[in-house]
Coordinates of all heavy atoms in Angstrom, one line a residue:
M1 N 58.0 -50.7 30.4 CA 57.2 -49.5 30.2 C 57.1 -48.7 31.5 O 57.0 -49.3 32.6 CB 55.8 -50.0 29.7 CG 55.0 -49.0 29.0 SD 55.9 -48.0 27.8 CE 54.9 -46.5 27.8
L2 N 57.0 -47.4 31.4 CA 57.0 -46.6 32.6 C 55.5 -46.4 33.0 O 54.6 -46.3 32.2 CB 57.6 -45.3 32.3 CG 59.1 -45.3 32.1 CD1 59.6 -44.1 31.4 CD2 59.9 -45.5 33.4
A3 N 55.4 -46.2 34.3 CA 54.0 -45.9 34.8 C 53.7 -44.5 34.3 O 54.6 -43.6 34.2 CB 54.0 -45.8 36.3
P4 N 52.5 -44.2 33.9 CA 52.1 -42.9 33.4 C 52.4 -41.9 34.5 O 52.1 -42.1 35.7 CB 50.6 -43.0 33.2 CG 50.3 -44.4 33.1 CD 51.3 -45.2 33.9
G5 N 52.9 -40.7 34.1 CA 53.2 -39.7 35.1 C 54.5 -39.9 35.9 O 54.8 -39.1 36.8
A6 N 55.2 -41.0 35.6 CA 56.5 -41.2 36.3 C 57.4 -40.0 36.1 O 57.5 -39.6 34.9 CB 57.1 -42.5 35.9
V7 N 58.0 -39.6 37.1 CA 59.0 -38.4 36.9 C 60.4 -39.0 36.8 O 60.8 -39.7 37.7 CB 58.9 -37.4 38.1 CG1 59.9 -36.3 37.9 CG2 57.5 -36.8 38.1
L8 N 61.0 -38.8 35.7 CA 62.4 -39.3 35.5 C 63.4 -38.2 35.7 O 63.2 -37.1 35.4 CB 62.5 -39.8 34.0 CG 61.7 -41.0 33.6 CD1 62.0 -41.3 32.2 CD2 62.1 -42.2 34.5
A9 N 64.5 -38.6 36.3 CA 65.6 -37.6 36.4 C 66.1 -37.4 35.0 O 66.2 -38.3 34.2 CB 66.7 -38.2 37.2
A10 N 66.4 -36.2 34.6 CA 66.9 -35.8 33.3 C 68.3 -36.4 33.1 O 69.1 -36.5 34.0 CB 66.9 -34.3 33.1
D11 N 68.5 -36.9 31.9 CA 69.8 -37.5 31.5 C 70.6 -36.5 30.7 O 70.4 -36.2 29.5 CB 69.4 -38.7 30.6 CG 70.7 -39.5 30.2 OD1 71.8 -39.0 30.3 OD2 70.5 -40.7 29.8
V12 N 71.6 -35.9 31.3 CA 72.4 -34.9 30.7 C 73.3 -35.4 29.6 O 73.4 -34.7 28.6 CB 73.4 -34.3 31.8 CG1 74.3 -33.3 31.2 CG2 72.6 -33.6 32.9
I13 N 73.7 -36.6 29.6 CA 74.5 -37.2 28.5 C 73.7 -37.4 27.3 O 74.1 -37.0 26.2 CB 75.1 -38.6 29.0 CG1 75.9 -38.5 30.2 CG2 75.9 -39.2 27.8 CD1 77.2 -37.6 30.2
E14 N 72.5 -37.9 27.5 CA 71.5 -38.0 26.4 C 71.2 -36.6 25.9 O 71.1 -36.3 24.7 CB 70.3 -38.7 26.9 CG 69.1 -38.9 25.9 CD 69.5 -39.7 24.7 OE1 70.6 -40.3 24.6 OE2 68.7 -39.8 23.7
G15 N 71.0 -35.6 26.8 CA 70.7 -34.2 26.4 C 71.8 -33.7 25.5 O 71.5 -33.0 24.5
Q16 N 73.1 -34.0 25.8 CA 74.2 -33.5 25.0 C 74.1 -34.1 23.6 O 74.4 -33.4 22.6 CB 75.5 -33.8 25.7 CG 76.7 -33.4 24.9 CD 78.0 -33.6 25.6 OE1 78.1 -34.6 26.4 NE2 79.0 -32.7 25.4
R17 N 73.8 -35.4 23.5 CA 73.7 -36.1 22.3 C 72.7 -35.4 21.4 O 72.9 -35.1 20.2 CB 73.4 -37.5 22.5 CG 73.6 -38.4 21.3 CD 73.1 -39.8 21.5 NE 71.6 -39.9 21.7 CZ 70.7 -39.7 20.8 NH1 71.1 -39.5 19.5 NH2 69.4 -39.7 21.0
I18 N 71.5 -35.1 22.0 CA 70.4 -34.5 21.2 C 70.8 -33.1 20.8 O 70.5 -32.6 19.7 CB 69.1 -34.5 22.1 CG1 68.7 -36.0 22.3 CG2 68.0 -33.8 21.4 CD1 67.7 -36.1 23.5
Y19 N 71.4 -32.4 21.8 CA 71.8 -31.0 21.5 C 72.7 -31.0 20.2 O 72.6 -30.2 19.3 CB 72.5 -30.4 22.7 CG 73.0 -29.0 22.5 CD1 72.2 -27.9 22.8 CD2 74.3 -28.7 21.9 CE1 72.6 -26.6 22.6 CE2 74.7 -27.4 21.7 CZ 73.9 -26.3 22.0 OH 74.3 -25.0 21.8
N20 N 73.7 -31.9 20.2 CA 74.7 -31.9 19.1 C 74.1 -32.3 17.8 O 74.6 -32.0 16.8 CB 75.8 -32.9 19.5 CG 76.7 -32.3 20.6 OD1 76.7 -31.1 20.9 ND2 77.5 -33.2 21.2
Q21 N 72.9 -32.9 17.9 CA 72.2 -33.3 16.7 C 71.3 -32.3 16.2 O 71.2 -32.0 15.0 CB 71.5 -34.6 17.0 CG 71.0 -35.3 15.7 CD 70.3 -36.7 16.1 OE1 70.4 -37.2 17.2 NE2 69.6 -37.3 15.2
H22 N 70.5 -31.6 17.1 CA 69.4 -30.8 16.7 C 69.6 -29.3 17.0 O 68.9 -28.5 16.5 CB 68.1 -31.2 17.5 CG 67.6 -32.5 17.0 ND1 66.9 -32.7 15.9 CD2 67.7 -33.8 17.6 CE1 66.6 -34.0 15.8 NE2 67.1 -34.7 16.8
C23 N 70.5 -28.9 17.9 CA 70.5 -27.5 18.4 C 71.8 -26.8 18.1 O 71.9 -25.6 18.0 CB 70.3 -27.5 19.9 SG 69.1 -28.6 20.5
I24 N 72.9 -27.6 17.9 CA 74.2 -27.0 17.8 C 74.4 -26.1 16.6 O 75.2 -25.1 16.6 CB 75.3 -28.2 17.8 CG1 76.6 -27.7 18.2 CG2 75.3 -28.9 16.4 CD1 77.6 -28.8 18.5
G25 N 73.7 -26.4 15.5 CA 73.8 -25.6 14.3 C 73.5 -24.1 14.6 O 74.1 -23.2 13.9
C26 N 72.6 -23.8 15.5 CA 72.3 -22.4 15.8 C 72.8 -22.0 17.1 O 73.3 -20.9 17.3 CB 70.8 -22.3 15.8 SG 70.0 -22.6 14.2
H27 N 72.7 -22.9 18.1 CA 73.2 -22.4 19.5 C 74.7 -22.7 19.7 O 75.2 -22.3 20.8 CB 72.3 -23.1 20.5 CG 70.9 -22.6 20.5 ND1 70.6 -21.3 21.0 CD2 69.7 -23.1 20.0 CE1 69.2 -21.1 20.8 NE2 68.7 -22.2 20.2
G28 N 75.3 -23.4 18.8 CA 76.8 -23.5 18.8 C 77.3 -24.5 19.7 O 76.7 -25.0 20.7
P29 N 78.6 -24.9 19.5 CA 79.3 -25.9 20.4 C 79.4 -25.3 21.8 O 79.7 -24.2 22.0 CB 80.6 -26.0 19.8 CG 80.6 -25.4 18.5 CD 79.4 -24.5 18.4
G30 N 78.9 -26.1 22.8 CA 79.0 -25.7 24.2 C 78.2 -24.5 24.5 O 78.4 -23.8 25.5
G31 N 77.2 -24.2 23.6 CA 76.3 -23.0 23.9 C 76.9 -21.7 23.6 O 76.4 -20.6 24.0
H32 N 78.0 -21.7 22.8 CA 78.5 -20.4 22.3 C 77.8 -20.2 21.0 O 78.2 -20.8 19.9 CB 80.1 -20.5 22.1 CG 80.8 -20.8 23.3 ND1 81.1 -19.8 24.2 CD2 81.3 -21.9 23.9 CE1 81.8 -20.3 25.2 NE2 81.9 -21.6 25.1
S33 N 76.8 -19.4 21.0 CA 75.9 -19.2 19.9 C 76.5 -19.0 18.5 O 77.5 -18.2 18.4 CB 74.9 -18.1 20.2 OG 74.1 -17.8 19.0
A34 N 76.0 -19.7 17.5 CA 76.5 -19.6 16.2 C 75.7 -18.5 15.4 O 76.1 -18.2 14.2 CB 76.4 -20.9 15.5
L35 N 74.7 -18.0 15.9 CA 73.8 -17.0 15.2 C 73.8 -15.7 16.0 O 73.8 -15.8 17.2 CB 72.4 -17.5 15.1 CG 72.1 -18.7 14.2 CD1 70.6 -18.9 14.1 CD2 72.6 -18.4 12.7
P36 N 73.7 -14.6 15.3 CA 73.7 -13.3 16.1 C 72.5 -13.2 17.0 O 72.5 -12.6 18.0 CB 73.7 -12.3 15.0 CG 73.4 -12.9 13.7 CD 73.7 -14.4 13.9
N37 N 71.3 -13.8 16.6 CA 70.1 -13.6 17.4 C 69.7 -14.8 18.3 O 68.7 -14.8 18.8 CB 69.0 -13.3 16.4 CG 68.7 -14.4 15.4 OD1 69.6 -15.2 15.2 ND2 67.6 -14.4 14.7
A38 N 70.6 -15.8 18.3 CA 70.3 -17.0 19.2 C 71.0 -16.8 20.5 O 72.1 -16.3 20.6 CB 70.8 -18.3 18.6
P39 N 70.3 -17.1 21.6 CA 70.9 -16.9 23.0 C 72.2 -17.7 23.2 O 72.3 -18.8 22.6 CB 69.8 -17.3 23.9 CG 68.8 -18.0 23.1 CD 68.9 -17.6 21.7
H40 N 73.1 -17.2 24.0 CA 74.3 -17.9 24.3 C 74.0 -18.6 25.6 O 74.0 -18.0 26.7 CB 75.5 -16.9 24.6 CG 76.0 -16.2 23.3 ND1 77.1 -16.6 22.7 CD2 75.5 -15.2 22.6 CE1 77.4 -15.8 21.7 NE2 76.4 -15.0 21.6
F41 N 73.9 -19.9 25.6 CA 73.6 -20.7 26.8 C 74.9 -20.7 27.7 O 74.8 -20.9 28.9 CB 73.1 -22.1 26.5 CG 71.8 -22.1 25.7 CD1 71.7 -22.8 24.5 CD2 70.8 -21.3 26.1 CE1 70.5 -22.8 23.8 CE2 69.6 -21.3 25.4 CZ 69.5 -22.0 24.2
S42 N 76.1 -20.6 27.0 CA 77.3 -20.5 27.8 C 77.3 -19.3 28.7 O 78.1 -19.3 29.7 CB 78.5 -20.4 26.8 OG 78.3 -19.3 26.0
R43 N 76.5 -18.3 28.5 CA 76.4 -17.2 29.4 C 75.1 -17.2 30.2 O 74.7 -16.3 30.9 CB 76.3 -15.8 28.6 CG 77.6 -15.6 27.8 CD 77.4 -14.2 27.1 NE 78.3 -14.1 25.9 CZ 78.0 -13.4 24.8 NH1 76.9 -12.8 24.7 NH2 78.9 -13.3 23.9
G44 N 74.4 -18.4 30.1 CA 73.2 -18.5 30.8 C 72.0 -17.8 30.3 O 71.0 -17.6 31.0
E45 N 72.1 -17.2 29.1 CA 71.1 -16.4 28.5 C 69.8 -17.2 28.4 O 69.8 -18.3 27.9 CB 71.5 -15.8 27.2 CG 72.5 -14.7 27.4 CD 73.1 -14.1 26.1 OE1 72.6 -14.5 25.0 OE2 74.0 -13.4 26.1
R46 N 68.7 -16.6 28.8 CA 67.3 -17.1 28.7 C 67.0 -18.3 29.6 O 66.0 -18.9 29.5 CB 66.9 -17.5 27.3 CG 67.2 -16.5 26.2 CD 66.2 -15.4 26.2 NE 66.5 -14.4 25.1 CZ 66.1 -14.5 23.8 NH1 65.2 -15.4 23.5 NH2 66.4 -13.6 23.0
L47 N 68.0 -18.7 30.4 CA 67.8 -19.9 31.2 C 67.3 -19.6 32.6 O 67.1 -20.6 33.3 CB 69.1 -20.7 31.3 CG 69.7 -21.2 29.9 CD1 71.0 -22.0 30.1 CD2 68.6 -22.0 29.2
M48 N 67.0 -18.4 32.9 CA 66.4 -18.0 34.2 C 64.9 -18.2 34.1 O 64.1 -17.3 34.4 CB 66.7 -16.6 34.6 CG 68.2 -16.2 34.6 SD 69.0 -17.0 36.0 CE 68.5 -15.8 37.3
Q49 N 64.5 -19.4 33.7 CA 63.1 -19.7 33.6 C 62.9 -21.2 34.0 O 63.8 -22.0 33.9 CB 62.6 -19.7 32.1 CG 62.9 -18.4 31.4 CD 62.5 -18.6 29.9 OE1 61.3 -19.0 29.6 NE2 63.3 -18.2 29.0
P50 N 61.7 -21.5 34.5 CA 61.5 -22.9 34.9 C 61.6 -23.9 33.7 O 61.3 -23.4 32.6 CB 60.1 -22.9 35.5 CG 59.6 -21.5 35.5 CD 60.6 -20.7 34.7
D51 N 62.0 -25.1 34.0 CA 62.1 -26.1 32.9 C 60.8 -26.2 32.1 O 60.9 -26.3 30.8 CB 62.4 -27.5 33.5 CG 63.8 -27.6 34.0 OD1 64.6 -26.6 33.9 OD2 64.2 -28.7 34.5
M52 N 59.6 -26.1 32.7 CA 58.4 -26.4 32.0 C 58.1 -25.2 31.0 O 57.5 -25.5 30.0 CB 57.2 -26.6 33.0 CG 57.3 -27.8 33.8 SD 57.4 -29.3 32.6 CE 58.5 -30.4 33.6
L53 N 58.6 -24.0 31.3 CA 58.4 -22.9 30.4 C 59.3 -23.1 29.2 O 58.9 -22.8 28.1 CB 58.7 -21.6 31.2 CG 58.1 -20.3 30.6 CD1 56.6 -20.4 30.4 CD2 58.4 -19.2 31.5
L54 N 60.6 -23.4 29.5 CA 61.5 -23.7 28.4 C 61.0 -24.8 27.5 O 61.1 -24.7 26.3 CB 62.9 -24.0 28.9 CG 63.6 -22.9 29.6 CD1 64.9 -23.4 30.4 CD2 64.0 -21.8 28.7
L55 N 60.5 -25.9 28.1 CA 59.9 -27.0 27.4 C 58.8 -26.5 26.4 O 58.8 -26.8 25.2 CB 59.4 -28.0 28.3 CG 58.5 -29.2 27.7 CD1 59.4 -30.1 27.0 CD2 57.8 -30.0 28.8
A56 N 57.9 -25.7 26.9 CA 56.8 -25.2 26.1 C 57.4 -24.4 24.9 O 56.9 -24.5 23.8 CB 55.9 -24.4 26.9
T57 N 58.4 -23.5 25.2 CA 58.9 -22.7 24.1 C 59.6 -23.5 23.0 O 59.5 -23.2 21.8 CB 59.9 -21.6 24.7 OG1 59.2 -20.9 25.7 CG2 60.4 -20.7 23.6
I58 N 60.4 -24.5 23.5 CA 61.1 -25.3 22.5 C 60.1 -26.2 21.7 O 60.3 -26.4 20.5 CB 62.1 -26.2 23.3 CG1 63.2 -25.4 23.9 CG2 62.7 -27.3 22.3 CD1 64.0 -26.1 24.9
K59 N 59.1 -26.6 22.3 CA 58.0 -27.3 21.5 C 57.3 -26.4 20.5 O 57.0 -26.9 19.4 CB 57.0 -28.0 22.5 CG 57.5 -29.2 23.2 CD 56.5 -29.7 24.2 CE 55.4 -30.5 23.6 NZ 54.6 -31.2 24.6
A60 N 57.1 -25.2 20.9 CA 56.3 -24.3 20.0 C 57.2 -23.7 18.9 O 56.7 -23.3 17.9 CB 55.7 -23.2 20.9
G61 N 58.5 -23.5 19.3 CA 59.4 -22.8 18.4 C 59.3 -21.3 18.7 O 58.4 -20.9 19.4
K62 N 60.3 -20.5 18.3 CA 60.3 -19.1 18.5 C 61.0 -18.4 17.4 O 62.2 -18.7 17.2 CB 60.9 -18.8 19.9 CG 60.7 -17.4 20.4 CD 61.1 -17.3 21.9 CE 60.8 -15.8 22.3 NZ 61.4 -15.6 23.6
M63 N 60.4 -17.4 16.8 CA 61.0 -16.7 15.7 C 61.6 -17.6 14.7 O 60.9 -18.5 14.2 CB 62.1 -15.7 16.2 CG 61.6 -14.8 17.3 SD 60.3 -13.6 16.8 CE 61.4 -12.4 15.9
T64 N 63.0 -17.6 14.4 CA 63.5 -18.5 13.4 C 63.8 -19.9 14.0 O 64.2 -20.8 13.2 CB 64.9 -17.9 12.9 OG1 65.7 -17.6 14.0 CG2 64.6 -16.7 12.1
M65 N 63.6 -20.1 15.3 CA 63.8 -21.5 15.8 C 62.5 -22.3 15.5 O 61.4 -21.9 15.8 CB 64.0 -21.5 17.3 CG 64.1 -22.9 17.9 SD 64.9 -22.9 19.5 CE 63.5 -22.4 20.6
P66 N 62.8 -23.5 14.8 CA 61.6 -24.3 14.5 C 61.0 -25.0 15.7 O 61.6 -25.1 16.7 CB 62.3 -25.4 13.6 CG 63.7 -25.5 14.0 CD 64.1 -24.1 14.5
S67 N 59.8 -25.4 15.5 CA 59.1 -26.2 16.5 C 59.7 -27.6 16.6 O 59.9 -28.2 15.6 CB 57.6 -26.3 16.2 OG 57.0 -27.3 16.9
F68 N 59.9 -28.1 17.8 CA 60.4 -29.5 18.0 C 59.3 -30.4 18.4 O 59.5 -31.6 18.8 CB 61.6 -29.5 18.9 CG 62.8 -28.9 18.3 CD1 63.2 -27.6 18.4 CD2 63.6 -29.8 17.5 CE1 64.3 -27.1 17.8 CE2 64.8 -29.3 16.9 CZ 65.1 -28.0 17.0
N69 N 58.0 -29.9 18.4 CA 56.9 -30.8 18.7 C 56.8 -31.9 17.7 O 56.8 -31.6 16.5 CB 55.6 -29.9 18.7 CG 54.5 -30.5 19.5 OD1 54.7 -31.5 20.2 ND2 53.3 -30.0 19.3
G70 N 56.7 -33.1 18.1 CA 56.6 -34.2 17.2 C 58.0 -34.7 16.7 O 58.1 -35.7 16.0
I71 N 59.0 -33.9 16.9 CA 60.4 -34.3 16.5 C 61.1 -34.9 17.7 O 61.8 -35.9 17.7 CB 61.2 -33.1 16.0 CG1 60.5 -32.6 14.7 CG2 62.6 -33.4 15.7 CD1 61.0 -31.3 14.2
L72 N 61.0 -34.2 18.9 CA 61.6 -34.7 20.1 C 60.4 -34.9 21.1 O 59.5 -34.2 21.2 CB 62.6 -33.7 20.7 CG 63.8 -33.4 19.8 CD1 64.6 -32.3 20.4 CD2 64.7 -34.6 19.7
R73 N 60.6 -36.0 21.9 CA 59.6 -36.2 23.0 C 59.9 -35.3 24.2 O 61.0 -34.8 24.3 CB 59.7 -37.7 23.5 CG 59.1 -38.7 22.5 CD 59.3 -40.1 23.0 NE 60.6 -40.6 22.8 CZ 61.5 -40.8 23.8 NH1 61.2 -40.6 25.0 NH2 62.7 -41.3 23.5
D74 N 58.9 -35.0 25.0 CA 59.1 -34.1 26.1 C 60.3 -34.5 27.0 O 61.1 -33.7 27.4 CB 57.8 -34.1 27.1 CG 56.7 -33.4 26.4 OD1 56.7 -33.0 25.3 OD2 55.7 -33.1 27.2
Q75 N 60.5 -35.8 27.2 CA 61.6 -36.3 28.1 C 62.9 -35.9 27.4 O 63.9 -35.5 28.1 CB 61.5 -37.8 28.3 CG 62.5 -38.3 29.3 CD 62.5 -37.6 30.7 OE1 61.4 -37.5 31.3 NE2 63.6 -37.1 31.2
Q76 N 63.0 -36.0 26.1 CA 64.2 -35.7 25.4 C 64.5 -34.2 25.5 O 65.7 -33.8 25.7 CB 64.1 -36.1 23.9 CG 64.1 -37.6 23.7 CD 63.9 -37.9 22.2 OE1 63.0 -37.5 21.6 NE2 64.9 -38.7 21.7
I77 N 63.5 -33.4 25.4 CA 63.6 -31.9 25.5 C 64.1 -31.6 26.9 O 65.0 -30.7 27.1 CB 62.4 -31.2 25.1 CG1 62.0 -31.4 23.6 CG2 62.5 -29.7 25.3 CD1 60.7 -30.9 23.1
L78 N 63.5 -32.3 27.9 CA 63.9 -32.0 29.3 C 65.4 -32.4 29.5 O 66.1 -31.8 30.3 CB 63.0 -32.7 30.3 CG 61.6 -32.1 30.3 CD1 60.6 -33.0 31.1 CD2 61.6 -30.7 30.9
D79 N 65.8 -33.5 28.8 CA 67.3 -33.9 28.9 C 68.1 -32.8 28.3 O 69.2 -32.5 28.9 CB 67.5 -35.2 28.1 CG 66.9 -36.4 28.8 OD1 66.5 -36.4 29.9 OD2 66.8 -37.5 28.1
V80 N 67.7 -32.2 27.2 CA 68.5 -31.1 26.6 C 68.5 -29.9 27.5 O 69.6 -29.3 27.7 CB 67.9 -30.7 25.2 CG1 68.8 -29.6 24.6 CG2 67.9 -31.8 24.2
I81 N 67.4 -29.6 28.1 CA 67.4 -28.4 29.1 C 68.3 -28.7 30.2 O 69.1 -27.8 30.6 CB 65.9 -28.2 29.6 CG1 65.0 -27.7 28.4 CG2 65.9 -27.2 30.7 CD1 63.5 -27.7 28.7
A82 N 68.4 -29.9 30.7 CA 69.3 -30.2 31.8 C 70.8 -30.0 31.3 O 71.6 -29.5 32.0 CB 69.1 -31.7 32.3
Y83 N 71.0 -30.4 30.1 CA 72.4 -30.2 29.5 C 72.6 -28.7 29.3 O 73.7 -28.2 29.7 CB 72.5 -30.9 28.1 CG 73.7 -30.5 27.4 CD1 75.0 -30.9 27.9 CD2 73.7 -29.8 26.2 CE1 76.1 -30.6 27.2 CE2 74.8 -29.5 25.5 CZ 76.1 -29.9 26.0 OH 77.2 -29.6 25.3
L84 N 71.6 -27.9 28.9 CA 71.8 -26.5 28.7 C 72.3 -25.8 30.0 O 73.1 -24.9 30.1 CB 70.6 -25.7 28.3 CG 69.9 -26.1 26.9 CD1 68.7 -25.3 26.6 CD2 71.0 -26.0 25.8
R85 N 71.7 -26.4 31.1 CA 72.0 -25.8 32.4 C 73.4 -26.1 32.9 O 73.9 -25.6 33.9 CB 70.9 -26.3 33.5 CG 69.5 -25.7 33.2 CD 68.6 -25.8 34.4 NE 67.2 -25.4 34.1 CZ 66.8 -24.2 33.9 NH1 67.6 -23.2 33.9 NH2 65.5 -24.0 33.7
T86 N 74.1 -27.0 32.2 CA 75.5 -27.3 32.6 C 76.5 -26.5 31.8 O 77.7 -26.5 32.1 CB 75.9 -28.8 32.3 OG1 75.9 -29.0 30.9 CG2 74.9 -29.8 32.9
L87 N 76.0 -25.7 30.8 CA 76.9 -25.0 29.9 C 77.4 -23.7 30.4 O 78.4 -23.1 29.9 CB 76.2 -24.7 28.6 CG 75.8 -26.0 27.8 CD1 75.1 -25.6 26.5 CD2 77.1 -26.8 27.5
Q88 N 76.7 -23.1 31.4 CA 77.1 -21.7 31.9 C 78.5 -21.8 32.5 O 78.8 -22.6 33.4 CB 76.1 -21.2 32.9 CG 76.3 -19.7 33.1 CD 75.2 -19.1 33.9 OE1 74.2 -19.8 34.2 NE2 75.3 -17.9 34.2
R89 N 79.4 -20.9 32.1 CA 80.7 -20.8 32.6 C 81.0 -19.5 33.2 O 80.5 -18.5 32.7 CB 81.7 -21.0 31.4 CG 81.7 -22.4 30.8 CD 82.4 -23.4 31.8 NE 82.3 -24.8 31.3 CZ 81.3 -25.6 31.6 NH1 80.4 -25.3 32.4 NH2 81.4 -26.8 31.1
Ligands
LIG1 C1 67.4 -22.7 13.2 C2 68.1 -22.3 14.4 C3 67.8 -22.9 15.8 C4 67.7 -24.2 16.1 C5 68.0 -25.4 15.3 C6 67.4 -24.2 17.5 N1 67.3 -22.9 18.0 FE1 66.8 -22.4 19.9 N2 66.7 -20.5 19.3 C7 67.0 -20.0 18.1 C8 66.8 -18.5 18.1 C9 67.1 -17.6 16.9 C10 66.3 -18.2 19.3 C11 65.9 -16.8 19.8 C12 64.5 -16.5 19.5 C13 64.1 -15.1 19.9 O1 63.7 -15.0 21.1 O2 64.2 -14.3 19.1 C14 66.3 -19.4 20.1 C15 65.9 -19.5 21.4 C16 66.0 -20.6 22.2 C17 65.7 -20.6 23.6 C18 65.2 -19.5 24.5 C19 63.8 -19.4 24.5 C20 63.3 -18.2 25.2 O3 62.6 -18.3 26.2 O4 63.5 -17.1 24.7 C21 65.9 -21.9 24.0 C22 65.8 -22.4 25.5 C23 66.3 -22.7 22.9 N3 66.4 -21.8 21.8 C24 66.7 -24.0 22.9 C25 66.9 -24.8 21.8 C26 67.1 -26.2 21.8 C27 67.0 -27.1 23.0 C28 67.2 -26.6 20.5 C29 67.4 -28.0 20.0 C30 66.4 -29.0 20.3 C31 67.2 -25.4 19.7 N4 67.0 -24.3 20.5 C32 67.3 -25.4 18.3 C33 67.5 -20.7 17.0 C34 67.5 -22.1 17.0

């Protein structure tokens, strides 16, 4: 068990696994968006924000994006965010 408040380094490999399961349908393989209105992470769109702000948005949901609160843990979402930050080409 982890000490409360322990700060873990994000796991990009785990983030990729979660992305491919929960996000790829809309945000596309490698962040090449599959929807006209979803940001292209491959172009770094919407990623010029701190992790904690992205975390809050992903938990809350936005427009057609569902809320992931209760579906993914904060650490899992932070892993996905770390993966998103590797996609820009
Ligand atoms: C049902 C489709 C759908 C799924 C599934 C989805 N998204 Fe999104 N996402 C969107 C759309 C559409 C937007 C753009 C919302 C807007 O601003 O109009 C968006 C926006 C975002 C943004 C930008 C938020 C901002 O600040 O504007 C991030 C980051 C994001 N999604 C991450 C994720 C992650 C991570 C997952 C998987 C855990 C995910 N999304 C799953 C459709 C989806």
Side-chain angles (χ1 to χ4, degrees):
M1 203 43 209
L2 292 163
V7 177
L8 293 179
D11 182 343
V12 173
I13 305 295
E14 177 66 5
Q16 179 174 32
R17 194 188 64 73
I18 296 164
Y19 180 90
N20 288 341
Q21 195 176 347
H22 293 281
C23 321
I24 203 168
C26 297
H27 291 287
H32 300 279
S33 172
L35 291 184
N37 57 344
H40 290 257
F41 301 127
S42 57
R43 297 182 200 149
E45 287 175 10
R46 311 281 180 93
L47 297 181
M48 301 290 279
Q49 307 177 49
D51 287 359
M52 290 305 146
L53 200 55
L54 291 170
L55 171 70
T57 304
I58 294 165
K59 284 175 77 168
K62 191 171 182 187
M63 307 296 283
T64 52
M65 178 161 78
S67 161
F68 285 93
N69 199 16
I71 297 172
L72 296 174
R73 286 179 284 108
D74 285 12
Q75 185 61 49
Q76 292 178 302
I77 296 173
L78 291 170
D79 289 346
V80 181
I81 292 168
Y83 172 66
L84 299 183
R85 296 200 187 284
T86 70
L87 296 176
Q88 192 170 359
R89 291 287 177 267

